[in-house]
Each structure stands twice: as structure tokens, then as C-alpha cells.
Amino acid sequence: MPKTRLGALNSLYPMPTTLVGAMVDGRPNFLAVAHVGIMDHTTVSLGLNKVHYTNAGIKENGTFSVNIPSMDLVEKTDYCGLVSGRNADKASLFDVFYGNLVTAPMIRECPVNMECRLVQALEFPKHDIFIGEVVETWCDDAVLEAGRPDPGKIRPLLFSMHDKRYYALGPVLAEAWSAGQSLKKTAD
Ligand SMILES: Cc1cc2nc3c(=O)[nH]c(=O)nc-3n(C[C@H](O)[C@H](O)[C@H](O)COP(=O)(O)O)c2cc1C
């Protein structure tokens, strides 16, 4: 199979689209963020371009939230990635609530919400990398399966930068830590 060189093209897409919340100038604000990462079981990372309005609020308060919108929130989510809180009150689109951290606004319409305490901020040339500890996760009962968030019920918006589109989650393919078991036995 021939391969084409694409240069240094980050190709980790699709990524779940999130709505990150923070208090900026004393008011809640949300922006769309797909450059989210799992650092460990209770630690997440965000890559936010330095031009964004939200960054100052995260730095000032040391808190933020990560909200996971469902497919039915595609229009509002995209809007939060199109306009800046400098020019619009994006929080007015949502029923905003607060948990343990009083400066981490969350979106009730999103089925999963994580409130995070900033543990480290890294300066990249064009981006602020925020690393946060999840202090509490809020989840709609309707998307729980055996007490755990069920991706099929959450119906996340999967974003690809390659074609700038949102994709839906597909069906379950296989069980993890299980699909490879037969190969393990033959190698033993
Ligand atoms: C689907 C989608 C994903 C995005 N992901 C990111 C991201 O990971 N990092 C980033 O800096 N901006 C991202 N953006 C752009 C910001 O959400 C957008 O510029 C927003 O208006 C900034 O809002 P603020 O100025 O209120 O902070 C994304 C936009 C969209 C539509």
C-alpha cells in the first residue's frame, strides 16, 4: 500500500468536542474545545490558543469545567466555537449551574460535566496548556449504565480538523482487554 507524506500533521482526530467553562470578568463563559487530553484517571489537559477570552478567567480563578455536549447540542456547541465571549453572552444559551468550585460554571443541558482545579499552566508559543484535576463529575442519570457514563447514551460530537466536521459515534466493536486474548494465548 503506497503512503503519502503529510508533513507534521496532527492526526489524532476525531476527538470529542467539549464545552469548557470559566468565569471571566465575573461572568460565566463557554468555548468549544476539541484539543482535550487525558493525562491520568483524574487529570485532563486543554490546549487553548492564547487569543481566546476564556484563558484569563482560568488563570485568574484557577478553575474550569469540561462539559460534554450530546448530538442535539451541535448548533449551540458550534456557536460557542464561532464567537468570543468578548462580544457575546454565550452562557445565556444554557442553564448554568455550579458545584463544589464556585468559579467553574457548568452546563445542565450537557449530560456529563467535570469541574476541574487548575494544577499547572504551560506556556506554548501560541497556546496555553491547562492541566486540571477533576474534583467532581456530574452525570445525567439517563446516560448512566451500571453506574458508569455510557458513550452510546451520551452521543458525543466527534470533531475532525481534517474536514472540519462533526461525526457521530458508531456501534460497539469489541470488548477491550479481551479482543486480543486469543492472540495472547497463541504467543504464550
Ligand atoms: C469544534 C471546535 C473545536 C474547537 N477546539 C478548540 C481547541 O481545542 N482549542 C482552541 O484554542 N480553540 C478551539 N476552538 C475555537 C474556540 O472555541 C473559539 O475561537 C471560541 O470562539 C473562543 O471563545 P472565547 O474567546 O469566548 O474564549 C474550537 C472551535 C470549534 C468550532
Side-chain angles (χ1 to χ4, degrees):
M1 174 71 75
K3 282 186 182 283
T4 301
R5 288 172 186 261
L6 298 179
L9 180 71
N10 196 325
S11 293
L12 280 178
Y13 304 102
M15 297 291 289
T17 315
T18 68
L19 287 168
V20 168
M23 296 299 284
V24 191
D25 293 333
R27 291 188 306 136
N29 187 57
F30 298 96
L31 83 164
V33 178
H35 293 171
V36 286
I38 299 175
M39 311 300 285
D40 66 22
H41 290 293
T42 56
T43 314
V44 297
S45 65
L46 312 173
L48 299 193
N49 194 300
K50 287 183 178 178
V51 301
H52 297 327
Y53 178 65
T54 311
N55 303 30
I58 296 176
K59 289 176 188 169
E60 183 189 336
N61 298 299
T63 57
F64 61 88
S65 72
V66 181
N67 304 269
I68 302 179
S70 290
M71 282 164 53
D72 53 312
L73 284 173
V74 66
E75 202 176 352
K76 290 183 178 179
T77 300
D78 197 60
Y79 172 78
C80 288
L82 280 170
V83 304
S84 174
R86 281 187 196 92
N87 311 313
D89 177 10
K90 293 186 270 185
S92 65
L93 291 173
F94 305 110
D95 182 0
V96 177
F97 75 103
Y98 298 84
N100 305 326
L101 305 174
V102 291
T103 50
M106 293 178 278
I107 298 173
R108 201 172 297 281
E109 293 89 332
C110 290
V112 182
N113 323 92
M114 293 179 282
E115 41 179 328
C116 303
R117 183 180 291 116
L118 182 67
V119 291
Q120 209 171 336
L122 303 175
E123 290 258 344
F124 274 32
K126 291 185 181 165
H127 290 78
D128 287 317
I129 308 299
F130 294 118
I131 298 174
E133 175 199 2
V134 180
V135 300
E136 189 65 78
T137 300
W138 303 77
C139 189
D140 285 3
D141 291 349
V143 301
L144 285 174
E145 185 63 43
R148 301 252 168 214
D150 180 341
K153 292 180 176 173
I154 295 169
R155 300 184 304 133
L157 301 167
L158 305 180
F159 168 75
S160 170
M161 187 65 99
H162 300 320
D163 54 0
K164 298 191 173 63
R165 281 184 179 148
Y166 300 102
Y167 288 79
L169 191 68
V172 174
L173 178 64
E175 299 293 324
W177 284 281
S178 174
Q181 283 292 346
S182 57
L183 288 176
K184 191 178 165 194
K185 277 178 201 142
T186 53
D188 282 347

